[in-house]
Amino acid sequence: MLRQFWVIVFGFGSFWLSGPSFAQKTNNPVYEDPFDLGAGGASLTKASGAAQLFANPALLPYGGTFHRWFGLDLWVISNKESVDTAQQILESSGSEEEQTEEEQAEQNLEFVDKVFNDPVHTGWGTSLSWVTNNGGVGVFSRFEPDIRARKRGSTGVPEVQVLTESYHGAMASLANRSPWRALSVGATAKYMYVLEDDLSIEITDEASIAEVQDPGFSRDLKSHNSGLGLDAGFLLFFQGDSVDFRLAGKVDDIGDTQLAGDKSPTAFKQVVSGGLGLTFHTGADALHFSADYRDILSSYEEDLFKKVYVGTKLTIRTYLGFSTGYYHGYQSYGFELDLILLRLAATYYTKEYGDSPGVDPRRLYLISLALGY
């Protein structure tokens, strides 16, 4: 049975690796920069690189030079349990043919216990973009599957839940300062290709195992919903000799973004958000504090800890950066090294799947490589 189960898991994996993107779409942007995630995901008043197109296009006019960025960004993400589980399966797969039925049954139970306690979460993302002082264009892909085991209601029959969240698409942004120079406005038009799938499989359900292994089932999973959407934002930027203050607002998916197709979701709800930022700086160094309140009108009816994002970014001589903050109620950390044509970043943060911190967390490690100028 263990082998059959991993046929399912790796069967989905082969689909995932050939498929697109991800992000759990509620009040978060569909694409977030690793350094911004290290700062608690608070990005309405200050975002990094191509993430400005998603976080708030009104950030673009305050970049100094016309050309801001052209390049490719790649990242991978995983929790430690994903690595441990993969290692366990690789170690056991070679000896499975030599096991007795009793030994295989015992190993099945050990594996189910492990996934009950240690869900598997992994993924990857990429973007190719050109960002300027007055706009930008880009394509993106983000993808993160989450696999966990749980009991099925009151019967106690174990099952595996596979959450597939897959986003990719393209966007184009325009932004400019108003006649009042402290105010900038921007908008982003986007095409989205989306799948959010929730599949539960009982370990003892041979019929479901056969259905999942059917090639037609895999082809059906590859279809996504699609649609066009529009975001708009503003930024008030009061700049001083050594202290700056920022006030930002943004509306995601104006009027709701309708997604055509027979999959889930069928729409992205309109989300109104606001943010505050305070920056202390010298000629080359800066310390930025930021706080975002997402989904002010509660379109997604989420708890407060998933709507408030706070963080700090420290940049030293423009090429070295450290960030920290609170994401979903947990401490987050980030680091980046910008070598002009090459940027390396690493982030640690926690994503909560439950309705309060500590219920169902995923402690995630993210490594990023960006090539461009």
Side-chain angles (χ1 to χ4, degrees), residues 222-302:
K222 290 184 179 180
S223 62
H224 288 52
N225 290 357
S226 60
L228 296 172
L230 180 67
D231 304 337
F234 77 87
L235 178 69
L236 282 170
F237 186 13
F238 302 100
Q239 188 170 22
D241 293 335
S242 59
V243 181
D244 302 338
F245 175 74
R246 306 184 187 203
L247 173 66
K250 188 190 178 192
V251 182
D252 289 276
D253 300 295
I254 296 173
D256 295 348
T257 296
Q258 302 301 318
L259 301 170
D262 58 359
K263 300 297 181 180
S264 179
T266 58
F268 290 154
K269 298 178 182 179
Q270 177 176 291
V271 171
V272 179
S273 304
L276 297 172
L278 182 66
T279 305
F280 300 91
H281 59 86
T282 63
D285 308 324
L287 179 64
H288 180 76
F289 299 91
S290 56
D292 292 356
Y293 188 89
R294 307 270 180 83
D295 198 4
I296 295 171
L297 302 180
S298 296
S299 297
Y300 285 99
E301 300 181 349
E302 290 190 297

Side-chain angles (χ1 to χ4, degrees), residues 22 85 118 167 183 203:
F22 156 79
T85 301
D118 301 318
Y167 296 168
L183 173 66
I203 299 298

Side-chain angles (χ1 to χ4, degrees), residues 32-329:
E32 297 179 274
D33 186 84
F35 193 58
D36 297 340
L37 285 170
S43 57
L44 283 174
T45 59
K46 186 176 178 60
S48 305
Q52 296 174 90
L53 305 178
F54 303 90
N56 186 357
L59 297 173
L60 297 175
Y62 297 99
T65 61
F66 173 76
H67 174 76
R68 303 284 297 281
W69 166 259
F70 176 77
L72 176 69
D73 192 3
L74 304 166
W75 56 260
V76 293
I77 188 171
S78 177
N79 62 345
K80 182 178 183 299
E81 291 78 10
S82 300
V83 178
D84 293 342
T85 301
Q87 182 178 0
Q88 173 186 314
I89 298 305
L90 289 174
E91 290 175 352
S92 64
S93 61
S95 60
E96 191 173 69
E97 294 294 341
E98 304 171 2
Q99 291 179 327
T100 65
E101 291 185 4
E102 290 77 10
E103 289 172 335
Q104 289 183 14
E106 181 179 355
Q107 183 172 296
N108 293 347
L109 292 175
E110 291 177 355
F111 172 75
V112 171
D113 287 340
K114 181 176 179 60
V115 181
F116 265 120
N117 296 322
D118 301 318
V120 173
H121 189 108
T122 186
W124 57 268
T126 183
S127 69
L128 176 64
S129 59
W130 179 41
V131 181
T132 74
N133 246 21
N134 295 110
V137 294
V139 294
F140 68 93
S141 177
R142 180 171 178 168
F143 169 72
E144 294 178 33
D146 188 86
I147 307 170
R148 64 175 179 173
R150 63 180 182 181
K151 292 183 178 180
R152 181 179 177 269
S154 61
T155 65
V157 177
E159 66 179 11
V160 174
Q161 183 184 30
V162 183
L163 299 176
T164 306
E165 299 175 271
S166 174
Y167 296 168
H168 70 170
M171 87 297 296
S173 298
L174 289 175
N176 206 350
R177 292 193 186 187
S178 70
W180 181 29
R181 302 298 290 172
L183 173 66
S184 65
V185 294
T188 296
K190 58 190 180 184
Y191 170 78
M192 301 294 299
Y193 188 64
V194 182
L195 173 67
E196 293 178 353
D197 194 61
D198 186 349
L199 177 67
S200 296
I201 306 169
E202 290 187 12
I203 299 298
T204 58
D205 190 343
E206 299 293 339
S208 293
I209 292 175
E211 180 182 355
V212 170
Q213 294 180 84
D214 182 79
F217 183 76
S218 297
R219 285 195 299 269
D220 184 58
L221 278 177
K222 290 184 179 180
S223 62
H224 288 52
N225 290 357
S226 60
L228 296 172
L230 180 67
D231 304 337
F234 77 87
L235 178 69
L236 282 170
F237 186 13
F238 302 100
Q239 188 170 22
D241 293 335
S242 59
V243 181
D244 302 338
F245 175 74
R246 306 184 187 203
L247 173 66
K250 188 190 178 192
V251 182
D252 289 276
D253 300 295
I254 296 173
D256 295 348
T257 296
Q258 302 301 318
L259 301 170
D262 58 359
K263 300 297 181 180
S264 179
T266 58
F268 290 154
K269 298 178 182 179
Q270 177 176 291
V271 171
V272 179
S273 304
L276 297 172
L278 182 66
T279 305
F280 300 91
H281 59 86
T282 63
D285 308 324
L287 179 64
H288 180 76
F289 299 91
S290 56
D292 292 356
Y293 188 89
R294 307 270 180 83
D295 198 4
I296 295 171
L297 302 180
S298 296
S299 297
Y300 285 99
E301 300 181 349
E302 290 190 297
D303 295 304
L304 183 63
F305 79 99
K306 288 188 176 181
K307 299 170 68 173
V308 176
Y309 300 82
V310 296
T312 303
K313 299 175 182 176
L314 172 65
T315 55
I316 303 172
R317 296 297 185 268
T318 70
Y319 62 83
L320 186 62
F322 301 91
S323 63
T324 186
Y326 281 91
Y327 186 99
H328 284 189

Side-chain angles (χ1 to χ4, degrees), residues 24 28 32 34 36-41 77-81 121 142 144 146 305-306 308-309 325-334 347-354 356-366:
Q24 185 177 8
N28 298 92
E32 297 179 274
D36 297 340
L37 285 170
I77 188 171
S78 177
N79 62 345
K80 182 178 183 299
E81 291 78 10
H121 189 108
R142 180 171 178 168
E144 294 178 33
D146 188 86
F305 79 99
K306 288 188 176 181
V308 176
Y309 300 82
Y326 281 91
Y327 186 99
H328 284 189
Y330 301 89
Q331 188 87 38
S332 60
Y333 304 94
T347 298
Y348 168 80
Y349 74 107
T350 301
K351 182 176 181 178
E352 178 59 61
Y353 279 81
S356 63
V359 173
D360 192 14
R362 305 291 187 273
R363 294 173 176 83
L364 304 173
Y365 300 87
L366 188 155

